[in-house]
Structures are given as structure tokens and as C-alpha cells.
């Protein structure tokens, strides 16, 4: 049986990440691994590290991406990002969808991102707009918490996905960060 395609929401975020062949990507909160599949296809011989705090979700991501895992292009870790042991990693992009830890203090996840993101790299955070006030509130909270770690928002885009609008916030290291 062929696994279902990415939802409109995840396809939109994958487009916002714009992973290129050869890149190294970290997905935080990978869930069932649907976005991992799209990212692995985009990076080709690059690599994807996927982290999810739920062993059940990580196992599902491994099953969904079994060929890429076996080929060594995808690695799935079942633990919180702050405990994932990624100190030696360097990635070109970090992506997370609906991972509240990035906009809810104290947000130590940003410290990990600051350590693993390669120079010139980018962070893309997607979120579902569940309430109208989230459209401005979440990007503002992301900007504040990421700004404390030397990141600045470089783009915010939105898509009319179902059942909720999806917003993607892109960040890069600030000029003074």
C-alpha cells in the first residue's frame, strides 16, 4: 500500500523550506514522517535528521521512510530536541510544524538550533492558524524568542490550507547575531 501524500499544509511548508539537493535538514517534531518523506526527496543524496519526542511517532516515521533510513539518508531520533545529542551535527535548514516549544518560553530548543545551524542556514517554522489572533501572536513570539538567540525573521508567508490557514515563518541569523 502506498502511503498517503503530504497534506496541503505539509506540502506548503516543504515549499517554504525549499530544500535543495545535497542539503542537510533537521525536522523537529516529525510525527508520522510525512514531511520527512518530502524533505528526503528534495535533498536527494543529502540527509534528513528527524526528531520526535514520541517513540511511537518516531517508529511510524521510520516505517514510512524505511528505504531512506536503510540507505542512511534519513535518521530518526525518538527523544526531545534538547536531549537528541546533536552537538556534532551541522544542518542547512531546520523545520518544524506546529511545535509550540518554538514560541512558548523558555524555548531551549532555540539554543539547540543555534548550535546546529550552519552559517547561512535557515529555520522555517510552520503553524496552523487556529484562532485569528494567532496570525500575529505566534510570529511575534517566535521573533522574540529566536531574537534572543541571534535570529531574525526574514519572511512570513501564508497559505489557505484545510482545515486551517498555515503560516510559515523563515528565520536566519541576524547580522549582529
Amino acid at each position: 500500500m502506498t502511503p498517503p501524500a503530504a497534506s496541503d499544509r505539509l506540502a506548503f511548508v516543504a515549499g517554504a523550506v525549499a530544500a535543495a539537493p545535497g542539503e542537510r535538514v533537521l525536522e523537529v517534531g516529525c510525527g508520522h514522517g510525512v514531511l520527512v518523506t518530502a524533505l528526503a526527496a528534495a535533498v536527494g543524496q543529502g540527509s534528513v535528521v528527524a526528531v520526535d519526542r514520541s517513540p511511537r511517532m518516531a517508529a511510524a516515521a521510520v516505517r514510512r521512510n524505511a528505504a531512506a533510513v536503510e540507505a542512511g539518508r534519513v535518521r530518526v531520533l525518538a527523544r526531545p530536541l534538547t536531549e537528541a545529542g546533536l552537538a556534532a551535527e551541522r544542518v542547512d535548514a531546520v523545520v518544524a510544524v506546529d511545535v509550540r516549544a518554538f514560541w512558548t518560553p523558555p524555548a531551549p530548543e532555540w539554543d539547540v538550533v543555534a548550535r546546529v545551524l550552519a552559517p547561512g542556514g535557515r529555520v522555517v517554522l510552520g503553524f496552523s492558524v487556529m484562532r485569528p489572533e494567532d496570525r500575529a501572536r505566534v510570529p511575534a513570539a517566535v521573533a522574540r524568542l529566536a531574537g534572543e538567540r541571534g535570529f531574525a525573521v526574514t519572511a512570513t508567508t501564508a497559505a489557505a490550507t484545510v482545515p486551517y490557514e498555515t503560516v510559515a515563518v523563515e528565520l536566519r541569523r541576524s547580522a549582529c547575531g
Side-chain angles (χ1 to χ4, degrees), residues 18-105:
E23 283 195 316
R24 302 155 299 172
V25 180
L26 168 63
E27 183 187 359
V28 181
C30 69
H32 289 96
V34 176
L35 185 54
V36 171
T37 302
L39 295 169
V43 301
Q45 293 306 306
S47 63
V48 177
V49 175
V51 178
D52 199 291
R53 68 178 47 223
S54 165
R56 185 174 175 188
M57 290 294 100
V62 168
R63 284 191 303 274
R64 176 183 201 85
N65 295 282
V69 169
E70 189 170 311
R73 295 184 315 103
V74 169
R75 186 164 43 116
V76 180
L77 305 173
R79 55 191 68 113
L81 178 62
T82 55
E83 299 171 15
L86 299 175
E89 297 286 332
R90 288 297 166 265
V91 299
D92 302 298
V94 176
V95 60
V97 179
D98 287 331
V99 178
R100 295 175 50 95
F102 284 104
W103 57 86
T104 305

Side-chain angles (χ1 to χ4, degrees), residues 82 86-87 89-90 108 110-118 151 173:
T82 55
L86 299 175
E89 297 286 332
R90 288 297 166 265
W110 279 110
D111 298 325
V112 176
V113 170
R115 282 193 305 271
V116 302
L117 193 65
F151 291 91
R173 291 189 199 281

